[in-house]
Amino acid sequence: MYCDSRKTFFLAKLKKCVSIQNRRMKYQIGFKPGAVKDLKLINKKDAYRIIEKIEIMQCDLRGDVKKLTNFTPEYRLRVGKYRVLFEVTEGKVIIYRIKHRKDSYI
């Protein structure tokens, strides 16, 4: 009896751990017209790197993401010399601007 209840306890814990791993948030990515325009002005090599990082960020906001204080949009993704400025709302990531770091927070 003791062994069965202990086994049930561990199986319940295992199921809980598995369900937590499967809950990873997958965000939909949306681009504002300003972000598309910014991306077209960036050289191809850097633009491909930025798009790669955005795709990685789509799963659980992975990457060099930081919540900004007293700034709109609320978040930034750092990709080399460039910053991707975005907001997160209800399972969506809306990218507002993609700027060089010297111009991004002006």
Side-chain angles (χ1 to χ4, degrees), residues 23-65:
R23 278 192 229 152
R24 287 193 174 139
M25 186 72 175
K26 183 116 175 157
Y27 294 93
Q28 292 180 349
I29 304 291
F31 288 86
K32 291 287 186 176
V36 173
K37 186 177 175 182
D38 293 340
L39 197 58
K40 287 180 182 178
L41 296 174
I42 298 170
N43 66 35
K44 283 186 180 182
K45 180 181 171 187
D46 289 332
Y48 284 127
R49 272 185 46 211
I50 290 168
I51 297 221
E52 245 178 54
K53 294 290 184 174
I54 289 172
E55 287 175 354
I56 292 170
M57 179 186 67
Q58 187 175 9
C59 183
D60 278 344
L61 296 180
R62 289 188 184 162
D64 194 355
V65 174

Side-chain angles (χ1 to χ4, degrees), residues 1-14:
M1 180 85 171
Y2 173 75
C3 192
D4 287 336
S5 65
R6 191 173 173 117
K7 184 178 178 183
T8 307
F9 174 76
F10 285 117
L11 285 174
K13 276 201 160 273
L14 182 64

Side-chain angles (χ1 to χ4, degrees), residues 16-101:
K16 187 176 180 181
C17 289
V18 170
S19 68
I20 288 171
Q21 289 176 353
N22 289 337
R23 278 192 229 152
R24 287 193 174 139
M25 186 72 175
K26 183 116 175 157
Y27 294 93
Q28 292 180 349
I29 304 291
F31 288 86
K32 291 287 186 176
V36 173
K37 186 177 175 182
D38 293 340
L39 197 58
K40 287 180 182 178
L41 296 174
I42 298 170
N43 66 35
K44 283 186 180 182
K45 180 181 171 187
D46 289 332
Y48 284 127
R49 272 185 46 211
I50 290 168
I51 297 221
E52 245 178 54
K53 294 290 184 174
I54 289 172
E55 287 175 354
I56 292 170
M57 179 186 67
Q58 187 175 9
C59 183
D60 278 344
L61 296 180
R62 289 188 184 162
D64 194 355
V65 174
K66 182 177 180 181
K67 185 170 173 75
L68 301 173
T69 57
N70 300 325
F71 195 79
T72 304
E74 298 173 351
Y75 293 89
R76 70 102 171 115
L77 169 68
R78 189 174 72 171
V79 184
K81 296 178 185 177
Y82 292 92
R83 303 295 181 262
V84 179
L85 302 172
F86 65 95
E87 286 185 354
V88 179
T89 54
E90 299 174 6
K92 280 185 129 180
V93 171
I94 302 167
I95 298 173
Y96 284 89
R97 300 305 301 250
I98 301 170
K99 292 286 202 176
H100 191 275
R101 66 183 183 157

